[in-house]
Amino acid sequence: MIRCLLVEVTRNRKAQPIRIERAITADSLRVGRGADCAIHLPDHRVALHHALIRDADDGGHYLEAEGGSVGVDGELRHGAELAPGTRIAIGPYQFEVEVPVDGVDLVLAVELLHRRPREKAILERAPATLSELGLSKRCLVSWMGALIVVAGLLLPLLQAGSPAVRQALAGLPLKPMQAWNPGPLLSGHQAFASECDKCHQRPFEPVADSVCAGCHQAVVAHASPLVATTMRCAQCHRDHKGGKGLVQGDRPLCVGCHEALGRRAGTSPAGVSGFADGHPEFRLSFAARPEQPRARRIAQSDRRGLVEDSGLKFSHKAHSGKLRVPSDPQTIRNMSCADCHQVDRGGLGFRPVTMKEHCFDCHSEKLDFDPPQEAYRLPHGPERAVMDVLAQHYLARALREDVPPHRDGAAAAPAAQVVAAAAAKAQRASVALVDDMGCGFCHEIERSGDSGAWKVRPVRINGNWLPAARFAHDRHRSFACADCHEIGRSEKSSDVAIPDVARCRECHAGEVPSRGKVASTCAACHRFHQAAVAQPEPAVPAKANR
Amino acid sequence: MRRRTLLEFARFRYLKVAALLLALSIAAYALDRPPVAPYGGTWLGYALGTAAAALMVFQLWLGVRRRHHRGGGRLEGWVSAHVYLGVALMVLATLHSGFQIGWNIHSLAYALMLGMVITGLYGLYLYLRIPRLMTANMGDESFADLLLKIADLDERARERVDQVPGATGDAVIVAIECTTVGGGLFRLLSGRHPDCPTRQALLRLQEPGDDPDTTRAAHQRELYSLLLRKESLLLRARRDVAYRARLDFWLFLHAPLAVATFAALVAHVVATLFYR
């Protein structure tokens, strides 16, 4: 138990001490700013619980630092013996231990030595907050907002809305409207990239199709008139996307409509949902013969219908491998597909196979006639020309051989007889051409009645089997022809060896990539801007094949 | 018990709202097969853009509400929604863009929005972390207490500085009169004062005199003790200033970026509708 006399010392104007005494009795005395402290020091330089006075083991008293530091004779200590005469500094206060009086164990004189200084002085030397530094959120907000509104909205609007401003800015590097440009134009549109109003003619309205048609006049409309009335150019052709703008996926371009077609009258192909598993079987186009009103399209599953009527006799089997050349039996020739089928310049199809270029070298003897006396050669042309050559040839020979020069007394054969005999010979020779040694070797012959008259059936080699699609032979040159066309055992020209859709699917997937296959959109084979499936034309027009 | 943060408001109500919004948007984006490539002009692009613009307006609304509080729920709930929907906005706007970036007002709006959200997240981090650091730094004292003690120590040092003449005494006077707790932007934010006069004076006072037993040496030791205590108080005061400056500074980035994003958003919408 400590019986303490606390003496609070203040000074009057003459600096003389005024002592106010107060007795405190407790087990221990807490010194601090806190209200619960027995020795309460109301100054913020003192900690809440600054120190504790307790009994020492030797019967004296001890002051122990708690929340603050304690200075004894100018030095900081953790505690101090409270012997008379000791001076202890706690914050701005000085505690002096005096000699105990009767009934009291401890006498402590407490005096505030250091008046409260001006603590704000240090804050006045330098800014301690961002606002004192001069930074203003309001200012920053206003400037940034205004800058963006002016540069990103007002200037482009002004340029877009006023031709005068456009003209004024034309020569300057400043192009405010470019701030609105969402992305690079297609390379073909780059020439007028800075003239937004060239396409965007009316503000807040979509680009009209007529604007596109202004330049793209030759573009063919899609087959269905419905498309022309319900679709805009920009629905598929999105510019400002760089090179990607014209490439469309299957769904928006084709499948979106064709999957549901068929329910609408007169639309085809129907029920197409992609190449991988939603493509109908191929229907091959057979060119129309004169007597037929239009080309026929026959599904590949109809094997009996797949018969080509070309008017020729030809065996692919007999024209492949090592062969003796008929016109020159001493020569052996190794025949391959490319000897006759050469890809055309566009890389899509083939140059026409002609007699003159591809057959004549080996089969020239088929045009020879009137052996063995003298081999004469017929032209490869219309029957009339062949007949004329024959008639002229036999008449000339008759005049040369059967009508000898006048001799004395000898009567010359009548001219009419000679001419008739020559004509008969020509007729016999022409009939001989019908068999396998003449025209009939390659051509189908049409005979008319019993008179022996005949003519060659017009040649109609099917040129484009799939006119609604584009197949680039050139891009498939890494494959052998026989990989797709099964012609190794074909002996007749009526055989059709166009690969079916299953064969294509061995390498081609649909739009979605598949492992080990080529991803193929509809547009890989088909064109959108295609009016209708064109009438198939023969690859070898009759006049060209001389 | 640990105090719940604003992130946990109403059992993560706004986290769930934001997660649902994101799940729907990401699923729609993944399933969508746009005609050319994903971008803001497809139907999904317009939907995502409209949703993102609505979120943006909501984000700004918090700024208005902070100043004019007029009921409509607790502010803590608004801030919680502000945080979660801000992150959702970032993802929605990214999907809206279809990852197509260029040098134009559209991408500028996107970049500013990213800046706004990222500074917002930085602010959230500060709000979750700094108050605890401030409490630990201050103990049972206030900033004013620290300043008072510093000023007191300065007074006491001033009483003794006459006893230490020469360059050392001059350094102490400079320490008393020129030491600051604030300063330029770097000092305010870092709390570091590389050439602090108090430190300079302490270095001088550390130098031993000719005779350690003289009165002058005793005064020097006393001054050293005073300035050492002052320095430790200064460190805490400067740290407190730095904490408060950091809590303030992120808003100097966030608020202008938010307003700039809104301005760019308006320009983006007008540009998109003007040239369709």
Side-chain angles (χ1 to χ4, degrees):
Chain A
M1 184 66 74
I2 306 169
R3 288 175 299 169
C4 173
L5 185 71
L6 189 70
V7 183
E8 290 175 21
V9 181
T10 52
R11 306 260 170 187
N12 63 12
R13 286 183 183 174
K14 293 176 182 172
Q16 292 162 333
I18 301 166
R19 294 167 66 92
I20 301 168
E21 296 178 350
R22 182 158 63 94
I24 312 167
T25 305
D27 288 338
S28 61
L29 301 173
R30 178 152 278 138
V31 183
R33 196 177 80 232
D36 56 335
C37 294
I39 302 174
H40 181 227
L41 304 176
D43 192 293
H44 279 264
R45 288 167 286 182
V46 178
L48 281 171
H49 296 157
H50 202 108
L52 184 74
I53 298 171
R54 56 174 171 78
D55 289 325
D57 298 335
D58 58 358
H61 300 95
Y62 190 79
L63 184 139
E64 186 183 348
E66 277 190 328
S69 55
V70 177
V72 181
D73 298 333
E75 289 180 11
L76 290 181
R77 301 259 181 87
H78 292 295
E81 287 284 348
L82 296 180
T86 309
R87 286 181 178 177
I88 299 168
I90 293 183
Y93 295 92
Q94 178 181 271
F95 281 63
E96 187 173 354
V97 186
E98 296 182 352
V99 179
V101 293
D102 290 341
V104 178
D105 305 330
L106 180 67
V107 179
L108 286 174
V110 184
E111 186 179 0
L112 179 68
L113 283 193
H114 305 282
R115 299 268 157 216
R116 187 183 172 103
R118 265 194 75 238
E119 76 269 22
K120 300 279 186 197
I122 197 167
L123 288 181
E124 288 162 4
R125 290 179 202 146
T129 60
L130 293 174
S131 54
E132 284 174 24
L133 203 59
L135 290 181
S136 158
K137 279 197 276 287
R138 194 177 291 265
C139 186
L140 266 175
V141 162
S142 311
W143 274 107
M144 278 191 74
L147 188 71
I148 287 175
V149 166
V150 170
L153 186 61
L154 294 183
L155 282 179
L157 260 181
L158 208 59
Q159 194 186 358
S162 159
V165 173
R166 276 206 295 281
Q167 206 166 4
L169 290 173
L172 299 174
L174 188 68
K175 305 218 179 310
M177 236 152 55
Q178 285 304 308
W180 284 6
N181 188 352
L185 290 164
L186 286 165
S187 55
H189 294 170
Q190 291 284 355
F192 46 85
S194 59
E195 301 167 53
C196 306
D197 56 325
K198 186 118 182 168
C199 298
H200 301 278
Q201 291 182 344
R202 288 170 175 274
F204 302 107
E205 281 184 20
V207 175
D209 285 354
S210 57
V211 175
C212 308
C215 294
H216 301 277
Q217 294 160 353
V219 173
V220 181
H222 191 64
S224 166
L226 192 67
V227 170
T229 54
T230 57
M231 285 182 78
R232 292 174 53 230
C233 301
Q235 204 162 327
C236 296
H237 303 295
R238 303 286 169 89
D239 211 338
H240 295 284
K241 296 274 166 285
K244 292 180 185 169
L246 285 177
V247 182
Q248 294 290 310
D250 281 355
R251 183 147 293 278
L253 189 66
C254 312
V255 174
C257 286
H258 282 272
E259 200 170 24
L261 285 184
R263 291 198 283 272
R264 295 173 188 158
T267 53
S268 73
V272 181
S273 60
F275 188 71
D277 50 9
H279 194 284
E281 66 171 325
F282 295 159
R283 289 189 298 156
L284 303 184
S285 283
F286 287 83
R289 286 207 153 267
E291 65 273 17
Q292 294 164 340
R294 52 186 289 187
R296 293 169 302 135
R297 301 185 70 194
I298 297 172
Q300 282 191 298
S301 58
D302 179 10
R303 305 300 300 180
R304 295 176 66 186
L306 292 182
V307 176
E308 186 180 7
D309 184 13
S310 62
L312 287 175
K313 300 170 189 171
F314 186 80
S315 164
H316 275 96
K317 184 183 175 185
H319 283 82
S320 61
K322 287 187 176 175
L323 301 167
R324 190 178 298 281
V325 175
S327 59
D328 182 7
Q330 305 302 316
T331 306
I332 303 292
R333 192 168 168 183
N334 195 2
M335 295 283 288
S336 69
C337 305
D339 287 334
C340 302
H341 300 291
Q342 285 130 16
V343 177
D344 62 16
R345 281 187 184 175
L348 288 178
F350 289 90
R351 293 172 55 217
V353 177
T354 61
M355 165 71 182
K356 187 176 175 185
E357 199 174 339
H358 300 101
C359 310
F360 188 77
D361 275 357
C362 298
H363 294 290
S364 60
E365 87 286 354
K366 296 298 175 200
L367 295 175
D368 292 347
F369 72 99
D370 201 16
Q373 297 149 322
E374 207 171 345
Y376 290 96
R377 185 154 291 172
L378 288 169
H380 184 254
E383 298 90 336
R384 187 69 257 160
V386 172
M387 300 301 178
D388 286 350
V389 168
L390 283 175
Q392 283 172 17
H393 168 75
Y394 283 108
L395 184 59
R397 203 168 100 183
L399 291 174
R400 197 169 59 241
E401 295 174 359
D402 299 345
V403 186
H406 286 281
R407 291 191 187 152
D408 295 339
Q417 281 179 16
V418 173
V419 169
K425 279 187 181 176
Q427 176 65 24
R428 281 197 298 277
S430 85
V431 170
L433 289 176
V434 173
D435 65 24
D436 285 353
M437 290 309 291
C439 307
F441 183 76
C442 298
H443 290 277
E444 288 177 358
I445 305 294
E446 287 175 345
R447 296 166 197 272
S448 52
D450 301 330
S451 63
W454 57 272
K455 62 176 184 178
V456 168
R457 283 195 76 204
V459 174
R460 288 273 173 168
I461 300 175
N462 224 32
N464 196 349
W465 294 96
L466 298 165
R470 291 180 306 159
F471 182 87
H473 277 94
D474 191 37
R475 296 178 68 177
H476 293 75
R477 61 179 175 272
S478 56
F479 296 93
C481 305
D483 289 345
C484 298
H485 300 282
E486 293 175 352
I487 43 84
R489 289 198 298 273
S490 168
E491 293 181 345
K492 294 182 289 182
S493 60
S494 59
D495 293 342
V496 175
I498 301 299
D500 60 6
V501 67
R503 179 63 61 89
C504 297
R505 283 182 184 140
E506 287 174 13
C507 297
H508 289 273
E511 186 183 28
V512 181
S514 173
R515 194 176 180 81
K517 292 190 179 184
V518 182
S520 311
T521 60
C522 301
C525 298
H526 301 286
R527 302 192 70 162
F528 182 87
H529 292 289
Q530 180 169 294
V533 175
Q535 189 83 348
E537 288 296 328
V540 188
K543 283 180 186 171
N545 192 14
R546 297 295 179 238
Chain B
M1 199 177 82
R2 190 173 65 88
R3 191 176 166 275
R4 285 189 303 132
T5 64
L6 59 91
L7 294 180
E8 297 159 52
F9 179 80
R11 295 185 180 182
F12 296 98
R13 178 192 296 162
Y14 294 106
L15 172 64
K16 291 170 191 166
V17 171
L20 181 70
L21 192 60
L22 286 188
L24 287 176
S25 311
I26 292 170
Y29 186 85
L31 294 176
D32 185 39
R33 299 279 294 279
V36 183
Y39 79 109
T42 64
W43 73 264
L44 181 66
Y46 276 122
L48 288 170
T50 309
L55 282 182
M56 182 63 211
V57 171
F58 173 80
Q59 297 299 92
L60 283 184
W61 187 244
L62 181 88
V64 177
R65 260 189 66 88
R66 269 179 63 224
R67 288 178 185 77
H68 316 286
H69 193 158
R70 294 197 200 108
R74 286 164 58 186
L75 191 63
E76 192 188 1
W78 278 81
V79 178
S80 181
H82 184 76
V83 169
Y84 284 120
L85 296 180
V87 175
L89 165 65
M90 184 164 63
V91 180
L92 248 64
T94 306
L95 296 180
H96 168 65
S97 78
F99 301 91
Q100 292 190 6
I101 302 297
W103 295 104
N104 49 44
I105 189 73
H106 319 286
S107 293
L108 177 68
Y110 177 69
L112 289 169
M113 184 276 307
L114 281 187
M116 176 189 80
V117 176
I118 289 167
T119 53
L121 290 175
Y122 175 61
L124 173 71
Y125 163 78
L126 294 179
Y127 265 112
L128 293 179
R129 183 175 159 79
I130 284 191
R132 253 180 282 165
L133 293 176
M134 285 176 87
T135 310
N137 181 46
M138 275 302 177
D140 60 359
E141 286 160 312
S142 67
F143 183 65
D145 292 349
L146 293 182
L147 294 185
L148 183 61
K149 287 180 178 176
I150 289 168
D152 187 43
L153 291 168
D154 277 342
E155 286 295 311
R156 293 199 216 175
R158 196 184 291 280
E159 286 166 10
R160 285 163 181 76
V161 74
D162 292 345
Q163 312 298 323
V164 183
T168 308
D170 292 347
V172 174
I173 291 172
V174 171
I176 292 167
E177 293 184 352
C178 300
T179 301
T180 57
V181 289
L185 193 61
F186 169 77
R187 292 184 182 204
L188 279 183
L189 290 175
S190 69
R192 289 182 194 163
H193 292 236
D195 51 353
C196 170
T198 302
R199 178 97 294 258
Q200 304 296 330
L202 278 168
L203 290 174
R204 280 217 169 257
L205 287 167
Q206 266 179 331
E207 291 167 9
D210 300 334
D211 184 358
D213 296 328
T214 59
T215 325
R216 178 198 154 110
H219 281 295
Q220 199 163 322
R221 279 201 300 277
E222 206 165 328
L223 278 175
Y224 182 78
S225 164
L226 289 170
L227 290 196
L228 203 60
R229 274 186 278 165
K230 179 187 169 187
E231 194 188 32
S232 78
L233 292 169
L234 271 177
L235 277 178
R236 288 167 60 203
R238 284 169 181 166
R239 216 179 283 152
D240 192 64
V241 163
Y243 288 147
R244 278 185 282 129
R246 283 179 214 168
L247 275 184
D248 201 16
F249 184 68
W250 74 273
L251 257 179
F252 277 84
L253 302 174
H254 187 67
L257 279 171
V259 171
T261 304
F262 184 70
L265 174 66
V266 171
H268 160 68
V269 172
V270 170
T272 310
L273 296 181
F274 193 91
Y275 282 149
R276 287 169 68 195

